Amino acid sequence: MQTINQNRWNDSDFKTVLSIFEEISSIPRCSKNEEQIAAWLEKFGKERGFETKRDHCNNILIQVPASPGMENLPAVILQAHTDMVCEKETGSPHSFVTDGISLRYFEENNISYLTADQTTLGADNGIGMAYMLAIAASADISHPPLELLFTTDEEIGLTGAQGMDPDFISGNYLINLDSEEEGVVIVGCAGGTQIGFKRLIDVENACAGDNLEETDCDATLMPYNIVVSGLLGGHSGTDIHIGRGNANLILIQFFKRLAERYTQNTIKLIKIKGGTAANTIPRRAELSFVTDIPAENLKTEAADYAALISSVPSFNDPNMAVEVAVADFSNVQKSNLKSFSAKNTERILNFLIAIPNGVFEMSASIPDLVLTSGNLAIIKTRSNEEYFKGAEKETESSDLDIYTEKSKRELEIIYSLRSGNDLRLKEKIKEMMALSEKYHYNFEITHTYSPWEPDFNSVFLKNCAEIYQKTFGKEIQIQAIHAGLECGVFHRTFSGIKMVSIGPDITGAHTPDETLNLDAAEKVWIYLKEILKSFPNAEG
């Protein structure tokens, strides 16, 4: 791991923040895999003599006594989440189950940055955790009584916050440290839900023609792969409006275009796989199919379609590629290669193309804020055998199990909805339910969470803004965001709680390009300390 010049930092305490972040980064902590980080946090608190507790969701609360003279002030909750989005570059050998994150420091234009080697960095929300622990570890930072709240599973559906008992915390003021832009204080966020569409669909011999008799695949129906790659991806909330391509959508649209242009040819889907996380714009998607369309035509169509997509002025993914190549199923007997029928392929395409994606509505009251959006996050096929085994994940071998003797294959779609308005969110959920009924798919709602509708007149907000002005000599921006924060859950559960959210500049969140601006991170650290030091003047 590359070291950094520790003399660079104006605030000497910030070195402690970085040291703690490095230690956090050594602990695997993907969503649903947070036992290790929870145990580490629990040990951190207890070893320092702080009252520390863990609940059934692995949420951790560390209670830090007030600095001398501040004992009678109300408690302040500092809050961050322990999990991270685990994305890596194609071909990376990194294991998120066993390996820590490999960090890399660098400077550009005299600004210090931190990123990771071929994986997400986990600054979302590891840097927030590091701020909290650095305050707890210091005897020199003035603060009122603190409740350090570390919540689990935020990235999947804020389930740690939603599963927390109402008496787990007691403070009436909360500073969330999960925002991603320095100089901005967040006072509102989107709510959201994750939707699952599933259906078991008949498969047949891939080489069968319209009369269901075997034909010679080598002579008529050839297997091909289509791969959409090179996309930047991004956060499905904050990046949904900036022109990032959705690999699943591009793949489906191209496949649909082939079907419409070659109506006299046979096209039969074998399998499809795209996207890795519900809260990430998918960067890569691929499918296999058999067809009698000539290979030269397929490659020309792919090149033409890639050029067409790239020519759209709002498209912001310069390295996108759409490629077609002959699939290698040489180890499979032709009679065992299974696909959906041509009719079922058409029905699958019609359903996938009907699922809306992207920005649906902008806020009428807040400039440039997305109000409602949808993200076609994950598409995958799974064999009948896997389905009935209840497999949670596809392994490399099961992913290739497309020549099973079983007669059905499951198609699963994971879709995320967001809205800053609770009524609009419920309306869109009903629309998705109606869509599933129309196409006869099973419909499941998971991980629903409420929006945090902004209160721009909060006295707590006003006083935090004044502290920023006094500290840095300029005004802080007050915004709402189109991403889910746990503040939405807290706002619903604790109606009287006063909240703000702050954080440093993080770019490329939820992708292997995730980068933390360390100069901005230092400013947020200084600002947080000033809020706590000045808390008698920050109450509202």
Side-chain angles (χ1 to χ4, degrees), residues 325-383:
V326 175
D328 182 11
F329 294 131
S330 56
N331 62 330
V332 182
Q333 292 183 1
K334 285 180 287 185
S335 61
N336 283 343
L337 182 61
K338 302 295 181 180
S339 74
F340 299 105
S341 69
K343 276 291 184 185
N344 280 340
T345 297
E346 181 182 8
R347 289 168 182 149
I348 290 169
L349 274 176
N350 288 340
F351 175 60
L352 292 174
I353 213 77
I355 300 174
N357 186 82
V359 176
F360 305 145
E361 185 179 4
M362 300 296 289
S363 171
S365 58
I366 303 174
D368 302 320
L369 176 67
V370 177
L371 182 67
T372 309
S373 72
N375 177 48
L376 185 55
I378 297 173
I379 306 173
K380 58 184 177 182
T381 45
R382 196 162 50 158
S383 72

Side-chain angles (χ1 to χ4, degrees), residues 149 158-169 171-172 174 448-452 485-499:
L149 175 61
L158 292 76
T159 53
Q162 296 199 85
M164 191 175 71
D165 291 335
D167 61 354
F168 195 67
I169 57 175
N172 291 322
L174 185 145
T448 297
Y449 52 93
S450 301
W452 172 29
L485 291 172
E486 286 148 307
C487 294
V489 177
F490 302 138
H491 179 68
R492 184 192 66 213
T493 307
F494 310 98
S495 58
I497 200 167
K498 301 170 180 65
M499 298 180 292

Side-chain angles (χ1 to χ4, degrees), residues 32 64 140 158 226 268 356-357 381 412 428 432 487 495:
K32 307 293 185 185
V64 183
D140 302 321
L158 292 76
I226 304 174
K268 298 167 66 175
N357 186 82
T381 45
E412 179 179 5
K428 291 305 274 187
M432 295 302 103
C487 294
S495 58

Side-chain angles (χ1 to χ4, degrees), residues 116 151 236 269 365 401 403 527:
T151 50
S236 63
L269 177 67
S365 58
D401 184 20
Y403 45 89
Y527 179 42

